Amino acid sequence: MAGVFRDNLLAGKSAFVTGGGSGIGQRIAERFAEHGAKVTIAGRKQQKLDAAAEAIRSTGGAVATAAVDVRDYPAVEAAFQKAHEQFGPIDIVICSAAGNFPAPVMGMSVNGFRAVIDIDLMGTFNTCRASYVYLRKPGANIISISANQATIPVANQAHVCAAKAGVDLLTRTLAIEWGPEGIRCNCITPGPTDDTEGMRRLAPTPEIRERIEQEVPLRRFGTKDELADLALFLCSDAAAYINGAVYHCDGGQSLVRSFRAVVGSH
């Protein structure tokens, strides 16, 4: 898919990616670097960040790391300041940090519920708000990584449903508030995606994986590359008039409500 886009599509731009040390965020960061962006990857574990950064450098990409917890607003602010000092105005922000575990409401603690709200929703708020002063205006792009749980109630996922619903509306509200300054804000909603921590938790057995595949109209899991390509498109000039949109990259899963009754049942 990388060949679909012209080379160095993001040359001269800088990107800041939370959750950039693993999973979807890491692949988006890699794709941006492949297309010439200078990328700061942020996450809680320096070891993961170092490994991700080395992979980017090995292909000639420019990358910096920021060991930061998105729940810590002053730390997020400091990370953006450092990224701005190193790479200049921020052109792209990807809010990809997330947490999830399957549990019914009466099977999770208050702290467990709050942890997902704090990472997913407050983390997105903290990232967006802290980025504002360092964004290129006009021209910056913010992309929040959401989930189908934002719009479809799912048993054993009350914390994620609440958090991602907030992420969707927060992002769309920012599209209104920041649009006049030339800042575009959009969401990407993945479906079941191969080689991610989320699906290792939600589909821990071959039987559950097969059941999920049969509930997706395209009958397969998506790939991190497909999500990275969508993010690349949304940051390109081809998407210059797209603002406040929620893009589902889920194989049609969100169209089939029956599968959403329960997550994590064996």
Side-chain angles (χ1 to χ4, degrees):
M1 276 295 293
V4 171
F5 302 94
R6 66 172 171 82
D7 292 342
N8 294 313
L9 189 64
L10 301 180
K13 295 189 176 183
S14 67
F16 190 102
V17 183
T18 68
S22 62
I24 293 167
Q26 180 182 359
R27 189 64 194 101
I28 290 174
E30 291 170 346
R31 180 54 53 85
F32 286 178
E34 290 166 7
H35 278 270
K38 299 173 182 177
V39 181
T40 300
I41 53 174
R44 284 184 290 173
K45 298 181 179 180
Q46 187 66 54
Q47 185 175 2
K48 282 189 174 183
L49 294 173
D50 288 342
E54 181 56 34
I56 290 173
R57 293 190 186 104
S58 70
T59 60
V63 61
T65 65
V68 63
D69 188 329
V70 294
R71 295 171 288 187
D72 183 345
Y73 185 81
V76 176
E77 273 191 311
F80 272 107
Q81 181 178 1
K82 183 177 178 181
H84 183 267
E85 291 170 353
Q86 186 165 4
F87 292 144
I90 308 295
D91 298 281
I92 301 164
V93 176
I94 306 295
C95 301
S96 184
N100 194 0
F101 57 90
V105 168
M106 296 308 296
M108 73 174 75
S109 67
V110 171
N111 286 339
F113 184 89
R114 182 183 292 116
V116 172
I117 297 294
D118 284 350
I119 295 169
D120 289 38
L121 179 53
M122 288 305 303
T124 298
F125 174 84
N126 290 344
T127 300
C128 292
R129 192 181 190 282
S131 75
Y132 177 81
V133 69
Y134 302 108
L135 295 177
R136 189 182 301 280
K137 308 178 190 74
N141 291 278
I142 294 174
I143 298 176
S144 301
I145 305 301
S146 187
N148 281 322
Q149 290 95 318
T151 56
I152 302 173
V154 187
N156 296 330
Q157 291 282 274
H159 46 350
V160 179
C161 291
K164 292 302 190 182
V167 167
D168 278 14
L169 281 178
L170 169 63
T171 305
R172 294 171 71 190
T173 299
L174 292 177
I176 296 171
E177 293 188 3
W178 295 357
E181 296 181 71
I183 301 169
R184 296 191 293 110
C185 304
N186 295 291
C187 286
I188 291 176
T189 298
T193 305
D194 262 328
D195 192 27
T196 60
E197 180 61 29
M199 289 316 300
R200 283 189 283 271
R201 293 185 181 189
L202 299 179
T205 68
E207 292 76 19
I208 294 176
R209 179 189 171 98
E210 182 178 359
R211 188 189 73 197
I212 294 173
E213 287 177 335
Q214 291 304 308
E215 292 164 344
V216 176
L218 289 183
R219 296 295 190 269
R220 67 174 178 86
F221 277 26
T223 69
K224 292 180 289 188
D225 279 326
E226 288 166 328
L227 294 166
D229 286 329
L230 177 54
L232 183 60
F233 162 71
L234 286 173
C235 294
S236 74
D237 291 342
Y241 204 56
I242 297 174
N243 187 36
V246 179
Y247 273 78
H248 293 263
C249 187
D250 67 352
Q253 186 190 44
S254 56
L255 305 175
V256 183
R257 290 179 176 260
S258 61
F259 85 96
R260 280 295 171 185
V262 178
V263 164
S265 294
H266 293 223

